Amino acid sequence: MSKPRIINIISNRNFESKKTSLELNEKLTDRGFIVKDKYDYNAELNICVGGDGSFLRAVHKNRFPKIPFVGINTGHLGFFQEILPENIDDFINKYINKEYMVEEILLVDAEVCAKEKCYYLSGVNEIVVKGSRSKVIHLDVSIDGNHLENFCGDGMIISTPSGSTAYNFSVGGSIIYPSMNTLQVTPLAPISSKAYRSLLNSVVVPGDSIIKLKLENRYTNSTLIVNDGVEFKYDNIDHINFKISDKKIYKLNFNKDMYWSNLRSKFL
Ligand code: NAD
């Protein structure tokens, strides 16, 4: 007997997404798949229905699974959600005929070291360090043990290549093609004056680098860590180390030119 082919559908709760999920469920079932709306670890594919935010939540909630994702976009133009609801039939045919590539998505890891212990986070788009009470923060920035700057400003974004078109892009960071093995360190409203000299541009670092942000003592309890849009607060943070994660997630890509057309349609 052949192994059952299980597919998870992970949908947000808006009307359009629920309608699309029902349609998907029917069409996949007709083609012999077993469709689950409760996450099944034996599935061969995760289909996420919603916008980019739904994709990010699905990845975090299911702890960065190895099962590949594909996104059906019912939100605004999405970077992770490449299939439109009207193209579901075409998507199912291409999936069955294996007409796709599997793309790796790099993640960023943060080791947040407080006085007593360290905490670990992984992000898909970016991890941001910023002041929790709209105050300027001071950070000592080093790359692989080399002191780069004493930063002063709103905060710092450490973004992945896939996340470079998200928050990073809005604050003037560069667009990095998703397959490139790099992280980008992007300042949020850097202050550059006679008193403080912070780099105004982002720095793109090699994939094996460790980026260290050391907090000045008076900011250790007034700093927020924002992971893919979700806030975390820790007491007595001393420093945070960032690196490319050993974990990866996977996404099916049905059109190799999609990235460039997405860029044009979203930003130009
Ligand atoms: P959300 O749904 O309001 O998303 C904000 C916007 O970011 C949406 O337009 C979404 O399509 C876009 N986006 C997300 N990931 C993207 C990517 N990789 N490339 C291009 N656009 C992308 O908020 P959420 O659901 O909580 O999503 C969290 C993300 O929002 C964060 O990871 C962060 O990158 C982004 N964000 C952006 C800004 C900004 O641009 N000023 C500020 C805060 C957060």
Side-chain angles (χ1 to χ4, degrees), residues 17-59:
S17 301
K18 282 187 183 164
K19 190 169 135 246
T20 304
S21 301
L22 271 179
E23 190 186 336
L24 247 182
N25 191 329
E26 273 175 28
K27 291 189 167 171
L28 287 167
T29 307
D30 282 350
R31 305 292 290 268
F33 293 96
I34 297 172
V35 179
K36 299 284 181 80
D37 54 12
K38 192 163 180 297
Y39 197 82
D40 187 325
Y41 289 88
N42 295 312
E44 61 181 44
L45 179 67
N46 292 320
I47 304 182
C48 184
V49 185
D52 285 328
S54 310
F55 173 82
L56 295 172
R57 283 185 285 280
V59 170

Side-chain angles (χ1 to χ4, degrees), residues 236-250:
N236 305 320
I237 304 177
D238 178 71
H239 65 274
I240 307 150
N241 291 324
F242 298 88
K243 68 173 186 60
I244 289 187
S245 182
D246 297 331
K247 299 189 284 273
K248 286 188 176 74
I249 54 169
Y250 303 89

Side-chain angles (χ1 to χ4, degrees), residues 1-126:
M1 219 172 78
S2 61
K3 203 169 150 242
R5 299 191 65 182
I6 302 170
I7 293 185
N8 292 320
I9 297 186
I10 308 164
S11 172
N12 70 14
R13 289 174 191 200
N14 79 29
F15 177 76
E16 183 61 24
S17 301
K18 282 187 183 164
K19 190 169 135 246
T20 304
S21 301
L22 271 179
E23 190 186 336
L24 247 182
N25 191 329
E26 273 175 28
K27 291 189 167 171
L28 287 167
T29 307
D30 282 350
R31 305 292 290 268
F33 293 96
I34 297 172
V35 179
K36 299 284 181 80
D37 54 12
K38 192 163 180 297
Y39 197 82
D40 187 325
Y41 289 88
N42 295 312
E44 61 181 44
L45 179 67
N46 292 320
I47 304 182
C48 184
V49 185
D52 285 328
S54 310
F55 173 82
L56 295 172
R57 283 185 285 280
V59 170
H60 281 276
K61 187 166 174 229
N62 298 297
R63 297 163 186 225
F64 309 95
K66 290 218 160 60
I67 304 168
F69 282 88
V70 68
I72 313 275
N73 187 19
T74 55
H76 295 292
L77 179 84
F79 264 75
F80 294 115
Q81 305 288 93
E82 72 171 59
I83 312 286
L84 294 174
E86 56 266 36
N87 298 335
I88 284 179
D89 290 313
D90 185 47
F91 149 64
I92 296 176
N93 287 332
K94 285 187 170 152
Y95 180 66
I96 290 173
N97 295 329
K98 296 195 165 55
E99 289 169 37
Y100 56 79
M101 290 158 288
V102 180
E103 215 179 87
E104 284 183 352
I105 299 185
L106 296 180
L107 307 170
V108 53
D109 277 351
E111 179 190 45
V112 184
C113 291
K115 293 265 163 1
E116 257 90 71
K117 62 184 277 205
C118 296
Y119 303 87
Y120 297 88
L121 298 172
S122 301
V124 180
N125 273 344
E126 77 287 291

